[in-house]
Amino acid sequence: MLKKWAAVTLSVSLALSLAACGGQQGASSGSAGSQAGDTQASSGGEVSADEGDVIKIGLISMMTGDNPLNGERMNQGVQMAVDEYNAAGGINGKQIELTIVDDQTLQDMAVTCANKLIGEGVVGIVGPHRSTNALAVEAVVKQAGVAAFTGGTTPQISTLDNDYLFRCRASDSIFAEAAAAYAKELGCKKLGLFFNNDDFGTGAEGVIKQYCADNGMEYVEEGHNTGDKDFTPQVMKMKDAGVDTVIIWTHDAELAIHARQIYELGLDVQVVSSPGVTMQQVIDMCKAEYIEGWYGVTDYVSTSDDPTLVAFKENFEKKYEIEPELYAASYYGGAVALLEGIKAAGTTDRKAVMEAVKGLKDLKVPVGVITCDENNDLVHNINVARIENKIPKFIKAVSVE
C-alpha cells in the first residue's frame, strides 16, 4: 500500500510542479494540510516569507530527465523531514509546507524553478542537485537572498562568493582526493581516470590529477560526455597504457556502461568509483560480475552502523517500504539543515535564516555531521565501501576538518 501511495504522490507532485515551472498557478505539495495562499511572481521585489500560517519551503527536484528515480528519492527524503517536523509541532508554532518543482535536470529549468519558488515566498530551497544546475541558480538565490541547499559536489561551488548557497554533501575536493588516496592505499602505481566532461567530472579530475602529481603516481585520463553510449576507445587506451587501477567519475547511466565494457573488454584492474556505484539504481543496471570487488567513495552506505543513519534507514523503510540511498539521505540532511536554521533564527526572515544556518555545528544527519565552514560547505566526511555480491559493504569513514 505504501509503495502505491508513494507512486501516486510522485505523480501528483510531478503534474503540479510541471505546471508551476511553466508559470501556471498550482497547489503546493506538503503535509501541512492547507494550501498555499495566492502568490506573486517575482519581478524584482521580494515577497515576504513571513506571510501566512505556514512556513513555506521549496524543493527543486529532478523528476524527469536523465535521473527520475534520483528525483523521487530526493522528494521522499525531504518530505520525510518535513513530516517529522510537522508531527513534532512544526517550527515556531507553524507547520511547514513543501512545494516540489521539477527542473528536468536542465539548467534553464532550474533557474525557472528557483524564480518560481522565490516568487511564491519560500523561506529556503532544497536543491537543485547537479553541479551545473547549482551553478546556474546561484546568482538567482544570491540576488533574492534565499538560502538554497545543493548536493552538487564540484569544488567550484566552494569558491563562490555567495552567502546563500549551501552544500549538503561533501565537496569533490574531499570525495576525489579520498578516491585517489584509497587507490594509493590499494597499491596503485599507475592510475587511469575516466571522467565526465561536465562540472562534476572536471572538478574531480583536477583534484585527482594533482594528487597523483604530489604522490608520484603515473597518471592517464580519458574524458567523455553525458549521454555517450560507447566507451570502447577509452577503455582500450587504458588497457594499452598498462594502468593498474582506474577511478571512474561520472553519472549513473555512463557509469553502468563503463562497468559493462570494462568487464567485457578485459580491463582487469582495481576500480574506485564516484558515489554512483553504491546506489541501488546503478547496481540494478549492472550484472554482479561487472562490479564485484569495486570500491566506491560515497556519502551513504546502508550497511554502516552509525546510529543516526540506522534510525533514518528504519524510519524511511517504515514510511515508504523501500530502502533509502544517498539522494534520499543527502537531501533529508539538507532539509534538516534548512529547518534547523529556521528554528534557530526564530523567524522566517530570509537573511536571519541564512545567518543561522552559517552557525550550525555538530548537527547529526544520515550523511555525517553538519558544521558550516567559511565556504558554506556543511558536510566534511565520506565513506569507502566495497561491492560484494551487489551489496555495498562499509569499509571505513574518512573525515576532513
Side-chain angles (χ1 to χ4, degrees), residues 52-69:
D53 297 325
V54 297
I55 296 172
K56 302 178 192 176
I57 68 170
L59 168 61
I60 301 176
S61 185
M62 45 183 177
M63 293 180 285
T64 57
D66 295 338
N67 298 287
L69 182 56

Side-chain angles (χ1 to χ4, degrees), residues 381-398:
N381 55 275
I382 61 97
N383 303 296
V384 178
R386 187 176 190 269
I387 308 300
E388 298 178 7
N389 195 27
K390 301 188 78 171
I391 298 174
K393 299 289 188 179
F394 176 79
I395 300 295
K396 67 176 185 177
V398 179

Side-chain angles (χ1 to χ4, degrees), residues 119-133:
E120 290 184 348
V122 298
V123 181
I125 297 170
V126 183
H129 173 66
R130 282 195 174 173
S131 296
T132 49
N133 289 20

